[in-house]
Amino acid sequence: MDQISINAVGRKELTTYTEYPPKGYRVRISTYWWLGRWAYLKFILRELSSVLVAWFVIETLLQVNALIAGPGAYQDFQGFLRNPVVIALNIISFFFILFHAITWFNLAPKAMAIRLGGKRVPAILIALPNYAAWLLASVIVGWLVLRG
Amino acid sequence: MLDISSHDVLIVGGGGAGLRAAIAVAETNPNLNIAVLSKVYPMRSHTVSAEGGAAGVIGPDDTLDEHAYDTISGGDWLPDQDAVEFFVKEAPEELLRMEHWGCPWNREPNGRVAVRPFGGMKKERTWFAADKTGFHMLHTLFQTSLKYNAVTRYDEFYATKLLADDGQVQGVVAIELASGKIQAISAKAVILTTGGCGRVFPFTTNAAIKTGDGMSLAYRAGAPLKDMEFVQYHPTGLPFTGILITEAARAEGGYMLNKDGYRYLQDYNLGKPQPQPVLRSMELGPRDRLSQAFVKEFEKGRTLKGPYGDVVHLDLRHLGEKKITTKLPFVRELCLKYENLDPVKELIPVRPVVHYMMGGVHTDTNGATPLKGLYAAGEVACVSINGANRLGSNSLTECLVFGAQCGRAAADFASTQRAPGRHLLAQAVDEETRLQDQFLRKAGGRERISEIREEMQRTMEQSAGIYRSRDSLEQAAGKLSELQERFRDIGLDDRGHAFNTELVAALELGSMVDVAESIIQCALHRTESRGAHQRTDFPARDDQKFLAHSVVTRTAEGTPAVNYLPVKITRWPPAERVYGK
Amino acid sequence: MAEQIALEVTRFSPERDKVPSIQAFDVPLRKEWVVLDALNYVKDRVDGSLSFRWSCRMGVCGSCGMMVNGEPKLTCATFLTDYAPGPVRVEPLKNFPVMRDLIVEITDFLGKLSKVKPWIIRAKKKPLSEGEYLQTPDELDTYRQFSMCINCLLCYAACPVYGLDPLFAGPAALALAQRYNMDSRDEGKSERLDILSQHDGIWGCTFVGECTEVCPKHVDPAGAIQQYKLTATQEWIRSLLMPWGGKS
């Protein structure tokens, strides 16, 4: 592209203009942007839930470790679990994991656009098996734990 | 600092015709440097609002001759028949090319492209993408155009003047809206694809951007405008907003009802009512005749009173929810949103609304104007294939066929030309001075843009509507010269540079007043009734005197002068327009 | 006198102002008026210097997206009466630089759109003389939803990821990429995947889901991106298992 300036043909500038592309005004995003809207808050809570999922994983690993170490260590571990702080933490974690699981299962139909007989399978039919599998797993675990 | 940028081909307007032209230039000669300049981002162009479809012969029972005949009779024998023959021949290939570029055309169960019936067409030949055909075509063209690196885009630039040297058009002066900077953009060939000027009327389906800029650019540079008196009223617009309810609604089987629930079109020589839609009959008659029938019904007191003028009803209820949601989803969406009614269960109030300009910049079948280096295509141009009344679904196809043709012609022309000289910059400097003196640095200025615009629009509706007469037109001519005078005394609230949309509105108003004057003058001089131009004082068609195009040029004093150019007849001698038989 | 409603509008001139401010206007409250009608009332009768974009005023050109009382909306399809008794606050679309009053800079989006190659890619093109590519109504239906995007950019205004990281390709561009991927005529899926599986592509999305909520045309960009993630993961696994050419 051939660009020459007006000065090159000896005429003076008439006007000054803002440069292009102009910078524009960028609104700074507040640190607390996620409080402004329920959907954003929900999103942040879901992101946060991963920390608590990690906590459960660590707890389970500790439990397995205690189990391998012998009955004494396991007793100590059970004592640790009875600590009110740990109980509170576990209750909070439990609700976050529920939240995490539900949002994850609800996401499944979004990610899987399965078509049968020319029609997209309704979201509920994709979400439902996930919930069913979850329920089944819970029942099996419950049975294993409670039968003794 | 004033800059000059140079290109081989500059396209002013980024809608259907402009983008098609850009691609055509790139494919004709890959070495050419192409620019597309538009006052809006290309995907905002008004092509986006087209709903019903695009016509092109595809069915085994259809022929090019039938499409040509429908177009010519629909245009009341004013179309140039050589242009129409070229148009119908190119149409299917262009629509097919859109298919190859990804346009989501509706399909038959076997995967072939589906077609639907349309007003004034004897066969089913309207390709469609639900009822958002223009939207899909525009986005397909825009997205496809992104792969051509030879195309430089000037998005949100407003062209104020054509640069010309010794009668040859060599670029434009444009304002970069973001900064307000004036820039000269030179080119070996310029293509105008700026669309129509529906906004000279108060009640129109046309978007805010349709202000006749390209027509005025050409007209001021000395190019003639053609057939400007032919303004199409679409019979089915929503009251107040003027939002279009596509003709496809009638093609799918909708009825037009007056206040008694009577299918009144049967009283206007358009055939007998049948439960199923019949091609070239009743609701599938041409737009001019349907809009005229509305006025007659109104005069008989058989329309319904509404807060925004009288209306009749469009009845889709018998089509059922399934057909409406699959074939006319946008109609339903628009009715629900803007009229708060569901066409599945309720009647839609509609009235005729200004929709399309058959006239425009005079071009030949290559899209070339009489000015060397200047081309035009789409609604801004008048080839003419539309004559005195355009058939629905011909205009999208026209954008493709003549956009492409004009792109090829401009590419060939540009390949033979030398680059314009830098001395054009002086014209840009003068133009900048004019804009500063006339608008930005002017002291005072008592007139408001909106007042002049509204008076112009009212004048046009009252005098150049569906029916016209010498009295109304002469009055309008006087009023418009008064408005031209008052326009000089316009005062802007906004004297800034960055995104001065008020300055743009002033320049658009200037274009519109020019175009309005040309419409009135052409209408005044055509003392006959043909297609969309109906004179109450001359109710009959007069082939002796007026089987001719009106050609209006700007005189040295700035006033319009009207002359005539004979219509090109090839195989279809003028006859009576017959519908409903 | 007709009923009025207060319209609070962002004003900003890059030539004059350091930061945007809010200006209030009283406008008539009419049943059939949308927010855009109120803005035009101000421009035509009160202050001609108010700047905003608009065109088709029927919800299809995508020009008039703005924040209305904090929500991204097409102002031509947002009725004033829904905000009675007011005030109605109209601000430029969030997450974009403001250039003037209600006008934002969107060239960033156009760059991103080009980057995802939103056109039909084929190894071998069919000549026009052989007619159309056959596509059944069902095949059309698989991508049609994503082809409805009007580029109004409400989804970018709703997306906190884009707000925090402007490099993120964003909902509309990704949905349009998916529109072509799902088109039975297209063969460019893997070409696009190389671009989109980068960090600022699909993996930038953390599935807030607000893009889908605010989309006036029900495009569901969030869904498009999640589908894409699944495809990308499948491709990745396949390339791990069959490194010598598992890429489809």
Side-chain angles (χ1 to χ4, degrees), chain B residues 40-46 48-49 51 58 93-94 96-113 128-130 132 135-136 139-140 142-147 153 155-156 178-179 199 204-210 240-244 308 326 330 333-334 337-339 448 450-451 453-454 493-502 505, chain C residues 13-16 30-34 37 40 42-64 76-79 99-101 103-107 109-110 113-114 117-120 122 125-137 139-140 143-144 147-153 176 179-180 183 185 216-218:
Chain B
V40 292
Y41 283 94
M43 66 278 188
R44 314 298 188 212
S45 309
H46 190 56
V48 85
S49 298
E51 297 174 18
I58 179 176
E93 192 170 299
E94 279 298 324
L96 197 56
R97 195 170 273 122
M98 288 299 297
E99 196 280 330
H100 284 217
W101 284 338
C103 189
W105 297 120
N106 269 46
R107 303 286 178 151
E108 297 294 346
N110 64 8
R112 301 292 307 272
V113 168
F128 63 105
K132 285 195 176 173
F135 162 79
H136 284 298
H139 281 255
T140 302
F142 176 60
Q143 288 160 9
T144 302
S145 79
L146 295 175
K147 72 178 175 190
R153 281 209 326 272
D155 294 336
E156 300 197 312
S179 63
R199 284 271 156 180
T204 173
T205 60
N206 283 195
I209 53 175
K210 296 207 42 196
F240 179 65
T241 56
I243 288 172
L244 174 74
Y308 298 96
T326 53
F330 196 35
E333 183 188 326
L334 290 168
K337 187 100 222 171
Y338 293 98
E339 291 292 324
R448 264 198 99 70
S450 59
E451 276 166 27
R453 187 173 57 215
E454 282 162 23
D493 294 342
D494 192 348
R495 304 295 174 107
H497 293 107
F499 263 108
N500 189 334
T501 48
E502 199 188 21
Chain C
S13 156
E15 295 159 287
R16 214 178 42 227
R30 298 207 180 117
K31 173 167 93 21
E32 59 283 339
W33 270 21
V34 289
D37 292 318
N40 271 317
V42 172
K43 185 161 188 73
D44 285 349
R45 323 215 171 259
V46 188
D47 183 351
S49 71
L50 180 65
S51 281
F52 48 93
R53 293 188 180 109
W54 71 289
S55 181
C56 77
R57 54 95 179 83
M58 58 190 279
V60 70
C61 79
S63 307
C64 68
C76 72
T78 304
F79 285 82
M99 300 173 81
R100 172 79 199 266
D101 297 345
I103 297 173
V104 294
E105 159 71 292
I106 63 164
T107 47
F109 164 72
L110 284 144
L113 181 63
S114 301
K117 304 194 174 184
W119 52 78
I120 297 279
R122 286 189 68 89
K125 286 195 182 98
K126 184 172 172 171
L128 283 180
S129 56
E130 288 174 25
E132 72 262 54
Y133 294 104
L134 295 183
Q135 182 169 70
T136 64
E139 286 170 329
L140 170 64
Y143 71 87
R144 177 170 255 175
S147 76
M148 302 304 273
C149 171
I150 61 172
N151 303 357
C152 65
L153 307 184
L176 283 163
R179 172 247 176 275
Y180 282 93
D183 192 320
R185 295 166 288 187
K217 299 291 140 182
H218 313 294

Side-chain angles (χ1 to χ4, degrees), chain A residues 3-16:
Chain A
Q3 295 247 347
I4 56 165
S5 78
I6 181 67
N7 298 317
V9 289
R11 303 286 287 261
K12 71 177 171 58
E13 287 182 28
L14 286 167
T15 321
T16 50

Side-chain angles (χ1 to χ4, degrees), chain B residues 175-408:
Chain B
I175 307 173
E176 178 185 60
L177 298 185
S179 63
K181 201 160 108 179
I182 311 285
Q183 200 168 334
I185 302 165
S186 75
K188 297 170 187 168
V190 174
I191 304 177
L192 294 174
T193 52
T194 54
C197 60
R199 284 271 156 180
V200 302
F201 288 84
F203 186 60
T204 173
T205 60
N206 283 195
I209 53 175
K210 296 207 42 196
T211 51
D213 305 311
M215 293 174 183
S216 170
L217 281 175
Y219 181 61
R220 288 181 195 172
L225 304 179
K226 186 163 79 186
D227 294 339
M228 293 301 286
E229 64 273 43
F230 298 100
V231 178
Q232 178 164 78
Y233 275 78
H234 193 290
T236 57
L238 294 180
F240 179 65
T241 56
I243 288 172
L244 174 74
I245 298 301
T246 171
E247 193 160 296
R250 283 171 280 131
E252 297 296 342
Y255 300 150
M256 300 291 295
L257 306 176
N258 67 11
K259 74 170 186 178
D260 307 317
Y262 172 70
R263 288 175 72 186
Y264 62 91
L265 294 175
Q266 60 189 290
D267 297 352
Y268 300 96
N269 214 5
L270 284 158
K272 293 272 162 290
Q274 305 291 337
Q276 297 299 321
V278 178
L279 293 154
R280 270 182 82 108
S281 168
M282 288 295 289
E283 283 84 359
L284 288 182
R287 291 172 179 173
D288 56 340
R289 299 279 293 273
L290 265 62
S291 296
Q292 289 151 20
F294 172 89
V295 178
K296 299 288 181 201
E297 276 303 280
F298 169 73
E299 285 166 357
K300 289 178 192 164
R302 301 203 299 195
T303 51
L304 295 100
K305 294 269 165 293
Y308 298 96
D310 275 51
V311 296
V312 287
H313 281 140
L314 175 62
D315 186 1
L316 305 182
R317 296 171 302 178
H318 55 285
L319 302 182
E321 183 164 358
K322 189 162 174 254
K323 190 163 198 177
I324 292 175
T325 46
T326 53
K327 297 281 186 69
L328 305 165
F330 196 35
V331 167
R332 194 175 185 194
E333 183 188 326
L334 290 168
C335 288
L336 284 168
K337 187 100 222 171
Y338 293 98
E339 291 292 324
N340 203 18
L341 65 81
D342 186 351
V344 172
K345 289 177 250 157
E346 290 158 278
L347 298 168
I348 310 170
V350 291
R351 59 188 312 247
V353 54
V354 168
H355 185 54
Y356 186 85
M357 291 298 299
M358 269 68 76
V361 181
H362 171 43
T363 74
D364 62 15
T365 43
N366 282 329
T369 72
L371 290 189
K372 205 173 164 194
L374 183 67
Y375 296 77
E379 194 180 348
V380 69
C382 180
V383 182
S384 149
I385 62 153
N386 299 313
N389 172 61
R390 175 176 70 81
L391 288 192
S393 77
N394 266 352
S395 67
L396 283 175
T397 312
E398 182 184 1
C399 286
L400 297 175
V401 169
F402 290 101
Q405 179 67 358
C406 164
R408 290 186 288 262

